[in-house]
Amino acid sequence: MATPTSTSLAHTCTRCLRSRTPQLSRQLYLPAISNNRTFSVLHRPPPNYPGHVPLKLPERLFLAAGSAIISLIDPRRGDLIALLGETTAQPYFIYRLRDRMLKHPTGRRILRDRPRITSQSLSLPYLRSLPANTIGATYVSWLDREGVSPDTRSEVRYIDDAECAYVMQRYRECHDFYHAITGLPIVREGEIALKVFEYANTGLPMTGLSAFSTLTVKKDERDRLLSVYFPWAIRNGWKAESLLNVYWEEVLEKDVQEMRDQLGIEVPPDLRKTRAEIRKKRREDKGGKVNTVAATTTNEVVEEAMVETEAEREEREQREIERQAMEILERADRM
Amino acid sequence: MRRSLLHLPIKRSAWAIRTSNVARIAATRSFASEASPNPEIYDIVVVGGGPVGLTLAASLGAARATSHLKVALIEGMNLASIRDWKPTPDYFANRIVSLIPSTVKLLKETGVWKHIKQERVQSYDGMQVWDGMTDARVEFDWNKLLGGRQEGVDTTIAHMVENIHLSHGLLQRLEELAVKPTMIDKTKVEKIEYGQLTEEVDMRDWPIVTLSNGQKLGAKLLIGADGGSSPVRTFAGIESRGWDYNRHSMVATFKIEDDSAFPKFAYQRFLPSGPVAILPLPGNFANLAWSTTPEKVAHLKSLAPEDFVAMVNAAFRLSYTDIDYLHNLKSGVVEETKWRESVTKYPDPPTIPMRITEVLEGTRASFPLKMKHADRYIGERIALVGDAAHTIHPMAGQGLNAGVGDVYSLVKSIADGISHGQDIGSSFTLEPYQSERYLPNNALLGFVDKLHTLYGFESGPLVPLRSLGVEIINQDWFGLKKFLMSQAAKS
Ligand SMILES: Cc1cc2nc3c(=O)[nH]c(=O)nc-3n(C[C@H](O)[C@H](O)[C@H](O)COP(=O)(O)OP(=O)(O)OC[C@H]3O[C@@H](n4cnc5c(N)ncnc54)[C@H](O)[C@@H]3O)c2cc1C
């Protein structure tokens, strides 16, 4: 079941909307998207900005539904999550978000300047040289840990209004700053919590729909999300200043905590620490059991006894999900 | 009403009063209280020389049954500036009214319209009205509805005339009358009270008006055409109900880009803070009526001319979010709107008004807006007309038109009363006026008031609903649009 796609997908930052998915898998999942010629028989209006693909309503609905289903099955499909984000943000939500920026002096300035976050616009070596408590340093540490550069964001194509398309682009490009400011780690649980936070903060439907992927995490994680992180995310996302109104490029040297205070964001309970503690406790419990019941399945014991790193665990979970997704797709193919 | 019936004074016809005036005043002089001179007796005293008061005087003078009445008109302001008004072709005043065809018809019948300089009147037969939040639009265009301009069919929706021009024409008309009303201007009504019982005459039911120059006038019928805060209404103890919109209407006159390629339209865009309208004037001129909050009006007035012009252009092009934001800028509106217009999609003229190029100096002014309706239009020897009876939001341009409708009805009632030998101040005479006008005015006020409320919402369930309603009207399903347009013309 180890398909060629699984390795290439394995490094995709979970729902970070990176377009690192190779063409192969893209075609495998949703051929229509990469092959725009299928649509060109219809009278498509001229694009409103470079790269814009105007969609008709049925196309929009189809793409939204398709991308929603597949990205629920496989949350690693950053491209599809991006697509879901674009196809569901119109007509209402992205305009509302844009208006929220227009009402804010900084948000308005951002819309006027339309800054892009790239490895050209941000000097990563400089950010690495900043003190660890700064926003810039925290941000670059996310990038380094993930092994990505700011250039890997996919371009917005399906939002009709050029300015709103920029808002969507900006939202995407700033996502790693949201990690930095909330302190939520890039594990699935953290991503889901961050998405809910973003939903409360931006109102973009895709971020809210992502909450459904809570269904795909383990029960204890789900319980933790529902009892601790969702309430935090909703409360903070709602009351905090819109994150889109932060000119991140101008606050790189600012202390993270100071920025949080300014925006009105409380730090959520440390997810990494919680998870590590729980795992440790579980291992201790299991270890006890092994001693008393006497090892019948040695393999299992050895595997359990191994200290699984965060990244390894992520990887394992991810493979499992991909395997399931591929199975579903293959079954669908055979039908 | 019953009370006034019981307390009717000496029953005399209007003629009787007039013929006995001199003798009676001479006779009553000795009974007068020391401080005040005797009132001079008139059949009708009109308080207020605004457009409605002047129209009333002109109509009374023009109608055969009423032209003999002895009428006085009192106005607090100086009418000489209106009488001596000298128009210049490159300037239009900021206060403009739209007169609907039925108003113009009345002005023609009373011989006023011939004094109106047609080159300074701009008629229009199309209107563009749209929702600032959803862009839902109604296009009222007779020529489109009828499939092209048609011979002999008057498709005019309204005529735009400067207030001062209309008043000037009315004053000219008054000069022509055989029996001219006594015009008392620069004089305020200071006191109104009922008269006294004397040996000669029982004036206890007669309103006596004391003027700021000490003069006293007794009226068989006192008509309040004295505007929104009518002293006559207060005297009559008639309650006027309604509310302050907490909105002011900003007016100004502009030069616009050459619009000769397009038909002349009136434009109104409903913003949640109130509607903004551009109304056509002859040549490359146009007039603004922008209803919004007093703070925003103050801001508009404080802006440099070029920023103000940019602001008004933006009001018809940019989103409400932007307009709201622009209201915070003390300067730099030109710059800001240039950027916003470059990233905003908006239609071209004639769907929206031509671009404004210049605001005429000294034409920026504003007026507070109220919705008020008097409980009754008539009291003991008292009638109210125009804004004294009802004040309406100007978005529909109906205030003066309704006032002229009142005048028409009241003069008809007085004429009927005279022809039936009734006392012109009696409720028999006045009742038909009230019953003819009250309900239609009430409906109009209610409708406009509800529109104001409906379009005050920035979001919520009513926003899509109102747009749906507008779409239905615009499609002219069930002939709704034609019906509305013909009603508006009649009203
Ligand atoms: C911005 C704006 C735009 C408008 N646009 C239109 C339009 O397009 N079409 C339309 O039909 N209507 C319009 N109206 C409404 C219209 O202007 C009024 O309905 C109309 O002026 C009412 O006339 P009036 O004579 O009843 O009252 P007023 O014009 O208020 O006149 C009352 C007069 O009484 C005098 N007076 C008051 N008290 C005394 C006193 N104690 N002694 C002596 N004199 C006194 C005043 O000096 C005044 O001259 C608009 C109103 C506004 C504010």
Side-chain angles (χ1 to χ4, degrees), chain A residues 99 102-103 108 112 163, chain B residues 321-322 325 336 339-340:
Chain A
D99 284 352
L102 281 174
K103 283 176 189 165
R108 207 173 170 89
R112 192 164 190 162
E163 189 168 63
Chain B
T321 308
D322 275 328
Y325 185 88
E336 188 79 6
W339 163 51
R340 290 315 298 165

Side-chain angles (χ1 to χ4, degrees), chain B residues 234-491:
Chain B
T234 309
F235 163 70
I238 297 174
E239 194 71 48
S240 180
R241 293 166 209 277
W243 40 82
D244 208 316
Y245 282 116
N246 190 29
R247 292 287 185 279
H248 285 199
S249 186
M250 165 106 206
V251 298
T253 304
F254 302 109
K255 270 199 175 133
I256 56 172
E257 281 177 2
D258 181 29
D259 67 344
S260 46
F262 300 119
K264 291 273 192 181
F265 279 165
Y267 297 91
Q268 182 147 265
R269 188 182 188 203
F270 281 89
L271 301 173
S273 53
V276 52
I278 290 265
L279 300 154
L281 289 174
N284 293 329
F285 289 93
N287 184 249
L288 170 80
W290 187 345
S291 309
T292 186
T293 61
E295 301 76 41
K296 286 178 176 170
V297 165
H299 169 256
L300 290 173
K301 281 182 172 171
S302 72
L303 286 174
E306 61 276 13
D307 281 337
F308 176 63
V309 164
M311 194 77 200
V312 175
N313 281 324
F316 290 92
R317 288 164 177 80
L318 297 184
S319 74
Y320 184 62
T321 308
D322 275 328
I323 297 167
D324 215 34
Y325 185 88
L326 291 170
H327 273 299
N328 299 323
L329 299 184
K330 291 192 171 64
S331 62
V333 182
V334 175
E335 264 287 288
E336 188 79 6
T337 53
K338 207 176 271 168
W339 163 51
R340 290 315 298 165
E341 284 175 14
S342 76
V343 295
T344 307
K345 269 199 196 144
Y346 51 84
D348 289 325
T351 306
I352 60 167
M354 295 304 297
R355 213 168 258 284
I356 287 156
T357 52
E358 184 190 333
V359 54
L360 301 194
E361 218 186 299
T363 60
R364 275 189 264 180
S366 68
F367 306 88
L369 300 181
K370 288 186 176 85
M371 196 311 273
K372 264 169 118 185
H373 201 189
D375 282 356
R376 287 171 291 129
Y377 294 175
I378 57 178
E380 286 191 21
R381 300 192 170 277
I382 281 171
L384 304 173
V385 286
D387 276 22
H390 43 73
T391 315
I392 187 170
H393 193 293
M395 70 167 84
Q398 292 295 342
L400 179 59
N401 289 303
V404 171
D406 296 345
V407 165
Y408 182 74
S409 171
L410 178 59
V411 171
K412 201 170 58 169
S413 296
I414 295 170
D416 283 352
I418 290 172
S419 68
H420 289 97
Q422 286 167 11
D423 179 342
I424 58 166
S426 79
S427 54
F428 285 130
T429 305
L430 300 177
E431 198 70 67
Y433 159 61
Q434 149 137 326
S435 54
E436 189 176 54
R437 292 303 294 168
Y438 190 88
L439 287 179
N441 282 342
N442 202 47
L444 178 67
L445 261 76
F447 177 68
V448 171
D449 184 54
K450 280 176 190 74
L451 270 186
H452 173 81
T453 310
L454 182 60
Y455 281 92
F457 291 105
E458 225 173 298
S459 57
L462 284 175
V463 173
L465 273 182
R466 76 187 180 209
S467 299
L468 180 69
V470 156
E471 288 302 334
I472 290 173
I473 291 173
N474 201 35
Q475 296 303 321
D476 194 28
W477 290 335
F478 323 114
L480 202 55
K481 189 154 149 185
K482 281 194 200 83
F483 172 77
L484 280 177
M485 286 170 72
S486 50
Q487 284 302 304
K490 264 189 265 159
S491 111

Side-chain angles (χ1 to χ4, degrees), chain B residues 20-41:
Chain B
S20 66
N21 266 350
V22 182
R24 188 172 42 74
I25 284 167
T28 50
R29 185 151 289 160
S30 52
F31 293 96
S33 60
E34 316 77 47
S36 52
N38 284 304
E40 183 173 359
I41 301 298

Side-chain angles (χ1 to χ4, degrees), chain A residues 142-200:
Chain A
W142 295 117
L143 297 183
D144 290 345
R145 196 188 316 233
E146 280 297 301
V148 292
S149 96
D151 301 330
T152 50
R153 296 287 170 184
S154 56
E155 296 281 326
V156 172
R157 284 183 296 174
Y158 302 108
I159 301 270
D160 291 333
D161 180 80
E163 189 168 63
C164 290
Y166 171 76
V167 174
M168 186 54 102
Q169 192 75 44
R170 178 75 183 169
Y171 157 73
R172 250 178 227 177
E173 290 177 354
C174 294
H175 177 79
D176 286 328
F177 282 107
Y178 308 161
H179 275 294
I181 199 82
T182 57
L184 285 169
I186 316 181
V187 294
R188 270 168 75 76
E189 211 183 329
E191 281 291 354
I192 295 173
L194 184 56
K195 275 284 173 289
V196 174
F197 173 87
E198 287 176 5
Y199 180 60

Side-chain angles (χ1 to χ4, degrees), chain B residues 48 50-52 75-76 95 97-98 189 225-226 231 249 387 397-401:
Chain B
V52 173
E75 168 55 47
R95 297 225 55 188
V97 278
S98 65
V189 168
D226 43 358
S249 186
D387 276 22
Q398 292 295 342
L400 179 59
N401 289 303

